Amino acid sequence: MRFVFLLAALFLASLNLRPAISSVSPLLGTIRDSLGMSGSAASLLTSLPVLCMGLFAPAAVKLSSRWGIERTVAYSLLLIGAATAARYAASTEWLLLATALLAGVGIAVTGPLLSGFIKRHFANPSAIVGVYSMSLVIGAALGAWLAVPLQTAFDSWQASTASWAVLAFLALFFWWRPAKSPLPAGEAANTRSKSGIGSDAKSHGRALLRSKRAWLLTAFFGIMAIMFYSMTAWLAPIVEEMGFDRQTAASVLTLFTLIQIPVSLLIPLLIGRYGRKAVWLVACSALELIGLLLLLAHASPWLIAILLGIGAGGLFPIALMLPIDESGSAEEASALSAMTQSGGYTIASLGPLFVGVVHDVADSYVPAIAGLAALVVVMMIIQLSIGRKSAARPLTAKRAI
């Protein structure tokens, strides 16, 4: 029973980490017309939360050391819910951007701590990562799929974007109990001592900053996230520019996210059974590259969405697995996840902004898509470096430095 309760808490928390972002993309045209936003300003609705996810991820470790993982996640879910609900009153560009900022802070703190939560509470973390990543994708898919229907039902894009606050408040019911009874301080200290990394969060950070492998993982996470958020923000507008109507474009984006649900659950299971992470990494990246090249050739948007979705759906759970697999405790997993997500999301925040700015300058998506394809090639080279040699010990252990 405890396992089911904790799994439900993880699922619902993960479900809240994407709708605040993905629910905006299908409505970008409407929002721009309503508030008079430029393409560059509109791109900030995606880039700003992702940038926050990078800048504020390190705070997750400090906050959890003070309040505990469970209580910190509960507070963060409350922030996500409040920021999302505030969109109902978003009548100006700056107010809408403020909600994106606050939601991004809540998402930034929650993400790394869920890795530590998995490491602490589940005996088979790799399998649970599949549930974690699948829930993230489901949240993104629901946000993209229901954005336009909710706008039609409520006759308001503000109500459509604000409605996702319900998920955060639902998750709080499940996190209230873990938040009231987190892991005892003595047990947490014992866990840290067994890992050999001590209790000083700053020493963890210094160790990771001197680890080449940690930087490789961060670079991979960053480029992977650039692809995901660039497509989440701009795939629908790109399809519209290809001559399709807004509902079709939204459906293509929904397919892109929906296809990731089974893939994100299946890939960790396959890796757990067969290993060879590098093969899966490069294969998924190759599918993304093919999808981008077909996008340049104006091929079927449905085929493009499937290829990009399979690639993104496979890469994301592996990116979440790596810090967990290469750490010795919940604290290590949170610290390494905080580094990869901090650097990675900071890099990724430039992706949607890059696409928006290039489109404003060139009046075409072609140069931006070509740039994304080049980045995928770079990511494949990094993946080969990651897979060439597995980490033999926790990255934050002193002798690994």
Side-chain angles (χ1 to χ4, degrees):
M1 189 65 181
R2 180 176 181 273
F3 173 84
V4 174
F5 185 89
L6 291 174
L7 192 62
L10 174 68
F11 180 85
L12 288 171
S14 306
L15 202 63
N16 280 276
L17 301 186
R18 295 298 177 266
I21 302 172
S22 65
S23 64
V24 170
S25 181
L27 304 176
L28 270 181
T30 302
I31 293 173
R32 289 179 63 184
D33 293 341
S34 175
L35 301 181
M37 301 178 74
S38 66
S40 300
S43 69
L44 289 175
L45 293 174
T46 299
S47 291
L48 194 56
V50 179
L51 179 60
C52 288
M53 290 156 64
L55 296 179
F56 291 95
V61 178
K62 295 181 179 179
L63 292 174
S64 66
S65 66
R66 179 177 180 179
W67 293 326
I69 289 177
E70 293 80 7
R71 188 169 298 158
T72 305
V73 170
Y75 291 158
S76 299
L77 288 171
L78 181 60
L79 178 60
I80 294 171
T84 305
R87 289 180 168 176
Y88 186 76
S91 58
T92 67
E93 173 181 326
W94 295 109
L95 181 56
L96 186 60
L97 289 174
T99 67
L101 172 69
L102 294 175
V105 173
I107 295 168
V109 174
T110 303
L113 296 186
L114 290 182
S115 295
F117 181 79
I118 291 172
K119 188 75 173 181
R120 171 176 293 171
H121 292 288
F122 298 97
N124 187 5
S126 295
I128 301 301
V129 165
V131 177
Y132 177 17
S133 59
M134 181 185 68
S135 179
L136 283 166
V137 175
I138 290 174
L142 288 174
W145 178 38
L146 294 177
V148 174
L150 286 173
Q151 179 197 13
T152 302
F154 294 126
D155 194 26
S156 165
W157 64 262
Q158 288 95 336
S160 175
T161 56
S163 61
W164 299 102
V166 173
L167 288 179
F169 298 129
L170 175 63
L172 279 172
F173 281 105
F174 283 81
W175 280 88
W176 181 251
R177 180 177 168 186
K180 288 176 65 178
S181 55
L183 191 69
E187 186 178 343
N190 183 54
T191 302
R192 285 193 294 268
S193 65
K194 287 181 179 179
S195 71
I197 60 176
S199 59
D200 187 356
K202 292 183 179 179
S203 67
H204 305 172
R206 286 194 296 267
L208 289 173
L209 290 175
R210 293 196 294 269
S211 170
K212 178 181 177 181
R213 188 170 181 82
W215 282 109
L216 285 174
L217 296 178
T218 301
F220 157 56
F221 195 103
I223 300 177
M224 176 276 301
I226 280 179
M227 276 298 303
F228 176 80
Y229 287 107
S230 294
M231 289 298 99
T232 297
W234 292 105
L235 182 59
I238 290 172
V239 172
E240 283 189 63
E241 192 171 89
M242 292 168 62
F244 295 89
D245 60 70
R246 183 166 295 178
Q247 185 58 57
T248 299
S251 298
V252 170
L253 178 62
T254 301
L255 177 61
F256 165 71
T257 51
L258 282 176
I259 198 70
Q260 296 176 51
I261 296 174
V263 175
S264 62
L265 181 62
L266 183 62
I267 290 295
L269 297 177
L270 292 174
I271 292 176
R273 180 168 183 177
Y274 300 108
R276 302 184 66 83
K277 289 189 185 75
V279 174
W280 296 102
L281 284 168
V282 174
C284 291
S285 297
L287 290 177
E288 285 196 327
L289 181 60
I290 294 170
L292 289 172
L293 295 177
L294 290 177
L295 198 58
L296 287 172
H298 283 200
S300 166
W302 305 104
L303 174 60
I304 291 169
I306 291 172
L307 292 173
L308 292 174
I310 294 175
L315 290 176
F316 189 65
I318 303 176
L320 294 176
M321 285 174 63
L322 288 171
I324 296 174
D325 289 346
E326 303 197 12
S327 58
S329 69
E331 288 72 24
E332 278 187 84
S334 294
L336 183 53
S337 295
M339 176 177 175
T340 58
Q341 293 185 30
S342 176
Y345 282 131
T346 300
I347 296 170
S349 67
L350 301 176
L353 184 60
F354 165 76
V355 176
V357 171
V358 170
H359 179 265
D360 284 349
V361 173
D363 197 26
S364 169
Y365 288 108
V366 171
I369 296 171
L372 292 176
L375 277 178
V376 172
V377 174
V378 174
M379 178 170 63
M380 294 171 74
I381 296 173
I382 294 173
Q383 290 166 346
L384 291 173
S385 298
I386 291 173
R388 189 173 298 125
K389 183 179 180 181
S390 298
R393 56 182 68 88
L395 294 183
T396 52
K398 290 182 179 180
R399 54 186 184 150
I401 307 305

